[in-house]
Amino acid sequence: MRLVATGLSDVGMVREGNEDNYLHDERLGIFAVADGMGGHEAGEVASAVAIEALRAGVAGGSLITEAVIQANTAVLEKADANPAMRGMGTTLTAAIEVEGGLRIGHVGDSRAYVLRAGILARVTDDHSLVEELVRSGQITLEQAAVHPQRSVITRALGIERDIEVDDISLELTDGDRVLICSDGLSGMVRETEISAIMRRETDTDSAARALIASANAGGGEDNITVVVIDVIGEDGDPEPSPLPEIGVGIVAVRAREAREAASKAETPLGAPSALASESSTKPRRRMRVSRGVIWAAVPVVAIIAICIGLLGWYARGQYYVGYQGQRVVVFQGVPNGLAGWGPTVEWTSYLSRSDLTPAQRSTVSENISFPNEQRARESVSRFEADFEKRTTLSTTTTSTTTSSTTTTSTTTP
Ligand code: MG
């Protein structure tokens, strides 16, 4: 078995730069596509760093999963060393030649397909929100194709140190044709059309060119990258047989454990508001928005911090009259606090609860808010004035009574 490959990348019809990268090293037996993301050209750095680290890893003897993990580390370290590149990341779908086929390591929504017996089969699962919704039966494939969050990916290199890599074994037969591509192809060209091109074109060069032309004809809204690999028999027949043995059953033998673990661990990223404005009928504007959701983690945290700050500012701008124990006090803040901002005592009156009339107690219990401390204190001052008036009256009444009693006493005998 011998592998012959062509890799090709195109900026597409809309984007100004190309953030995709690819590799086809027949000597090392390694083939890969990486689709980078991140502003200020960081995306193309991420995909290039990942590809280079992958190549170095495989050249150094790493197995595929290990090499993808090394690529992840390389992207993270590059970002750590360059603040402008923080948050950059990349997908990576990589295949290394092994006895009898390919071993594929996969993170993100770039894809691997194999054409056998004229039938195109997808080998990888997308780590995307919509594909998870389809897998769990929440939406149909038709709904996924127009879903507003269809470009949200749930796994990428460059996000976290710990990365989960799908590890897939693909057995190959002479005449098979393998395709690794970025979503600039799979998002623009239907699988039936990809399959038709893969069947029709006689060599890897013409197949790669035709696939890219088809994505551009469909709008070319994202960078398009393909690596096409033909499996040639030992006799050196350069022509892939287009229709080998019909009914070859197993196309891809997947590492079930990896997939099951993956499905358990994957957590779709939320942030629907960031994407809600993307029309469901419009063809994808893609990545920049999509991957933005992952990169949005940082802005989202900042927005939450600002909201908490505003709530705190609002809460601390309020005053109300209440009780601390039995004492009447003026609080700064809102009753029971807001977003972690609890009320604090700003001023304490000499009045206690029992000094108030029932009507005043009920007013205090309502915790009516005041725009500033002065107004709140004035409100308590009125209670104090009223209390003093009542006390004076009460004293007067008592003296009168005493006097009267005395008078009565003196007159009794
Ligand atoms: Mg892309």
Side-chain angles (χ1 to χ4, degrees):
M1 191 177 87
R2 187 164 65 88
L3 302 181
V4 173
T6 297
L8 213 53
S9 188
D10 190 271
V11 71
M13 308 296 282
V14 175
R15 296 295 178 82
E16 286 180 2
N18 191 343
E19 298 182 315
D20 289 358
N21 268 292
Y22 66 93
L23 168 67
H24 62 107
D25 185 327
E26 289 164 22
R27 188 183 54 82
L28 273 175
I30 176 166
F31 313 89
V33 166
D35 178 349
M37 47 231 157
H40 308 290
E41 294 169 11
E44 60 186 84
V45 173
S47 58
V49 166
I51 289 280
E52 191 41 51
L54 175 83
R55 185 212 296 264
V58 172
S62 295
L63 298 176
I64 188 67
T65 300
E66 200 183 339
V68 174
I69 290 169
Q70 287 163 341
N72 180 51
T73 306
V75 174
L76 282 167
E77 283 173 358
K78 184 80 175 177
D80 282 348
N82 300 273
M85 293 177 182
R86 292 271 156 75
M88 70 177 178
T90 185
T91 71
L92 183 59
T93 301
I96 53 173
E97 192 176 351
V98 293
E99 176 93 34
L102 291 171
R103 192 73 177 259
I104 298 172
H106 166 68
V107 174
D109 68 351
S110 297
R111 292 180 175 180
Y113 290 93
V114 61
L115 180 78
R116 175 175 303 164
I119 295 167
L120 187 75
R122 175 135 71 98
V123 178
T124 51
D125 291 330
D126 289 353
H127 299 138
S128 68
L129 183 60
V130 288
E131 191 147 311
E132 285 171 11
L133 293 173
V134 169
R135 278 203 288 272
S136 64
Q138 294 179 60
I139 59 170
T140 64
L141 278 172
E142 291 69 32
Q143 289 169 325
V146 294
H147 196 282
Q149 289 171 275
R150 62 190 177 278
S151 34
V152 176
I153 62 171
T154 52
R155 268 200 250 168
L157 270 63
I159 308 298
E160 288 178 347
R161 289 267 158 201
D162 286 336
I163 186 152
E164 194 164 8
V165 181
D166 284 2
D167 182 341
I168 301 156
S169 291
L170 176 63
E171 289 172 19
L172 292 176
T173 303
D174 293 351
D176 284 353
R177 174 171 279 176
V178 175
L179 167 67
I180 305 174
C181 64
S182 65
D183 67 338
L185 177 74
S186 54
M188 299 304 307
V189 184
R190 288 173 177 276
E191 286 188 352
T192 50
E193 175 63 12
I194 293 175
S195 176
I197 294 168
M198 294 273 281
R199 285 197 306 271
R200 184 182 69 222
E201 299 298 329
T202 53
D203 58 54
T204 55
D205 277 3
S206 62
R209 274 180 231 292
L211 288 167
I212 285 181
S214 178
N216 277 328
E221 296 185 357
D222 195 4
N223 307 140
I224 311 144
T225 301
V226 300
V227 172
V228 181
I229 308 155
D230 277 350
V231 183
I232 310 293
E234 287 300 341
D235 57 2
D237 177 8
E239 297 286 313
S241 61
L243 286 175
E245 239 185 302
I246 299 285
V248 178
I250 299 166
V251 172
V253 181
R254 301 177 181 202
R256 184 163 291 142
E257 298 82 345
R259 286 156 51 77
E260 283 172 357
S263 69
K264 276 188 209 128
E266 282 171 19
T267 311
L269 296 180
S273 58
L275 291 162
S277 60
E278 193 173 337
S279 153
S280 63
T281 51
K282 181 180 91 177
R284 13 176 117 190
R285 196 161 53 82
R286 294 284 338 171
M287 265 17 144
R288 199 66 73 164
V289 173
S290 68
R291 310 276 147 134
V293 170
I294 280 185
W295 322 125
V298 173
V300 163
V301 167
I303 289 165
I304 290 169
I306 289 167
C307 288
I308 290 172
L310 284 171
L311 283 171
W313 173 79
Y314 166 79
R316 301 300 293 162
Q318 307 287 311
Y319 294 83
Y320 70 98
V321 178
Y323 300 110
Q324 188 186 43
Q326 291 300 307
R327 189 68 74 181
V328 178
V329 301
V330 170
F331 287 102
Q332 182 180 16
V334 295
N336 303 317
L338 186 66
W341 300 87
T344 53
V345 173
E346 289 304 301
W347 181 74
T348 303
S349 164
Y350 64 83
L351 293 177
S352 63
R353 188 194 294 260
S354 57
D355 296 329
L356 303 179
T357 65
Q360 288 167 345
R361 273 179 226 149
S362 130
T363 303
V364 172
S365 299
E366 283 173 21
N367 296 141
I368 296 165
S369 71
F370 297 90
N372 55 50
E373 185 182 345
Q374 187 57 36
R375 295 276 297 278
R377 285 176 65 160
E378 281 166 12
S379 152
V380 179
S381 296
R382 281 193 291 276
F383 296 159
E384 289 177 343
D386 179 67
F387 174 73
E388 281 159 22
K389 203 163 85 186
R390 279 186 285 115
T391 314
T392 311
L393 278 174
S394 166
T395 308
T396 310
T397 308
T398 308
S399 333
T400 309
T401 309
T402 309
S403 146
S404 150
T405 306
T406 308
T407 309
T408 308
S409 309
T410 49
T411 53
T412 304

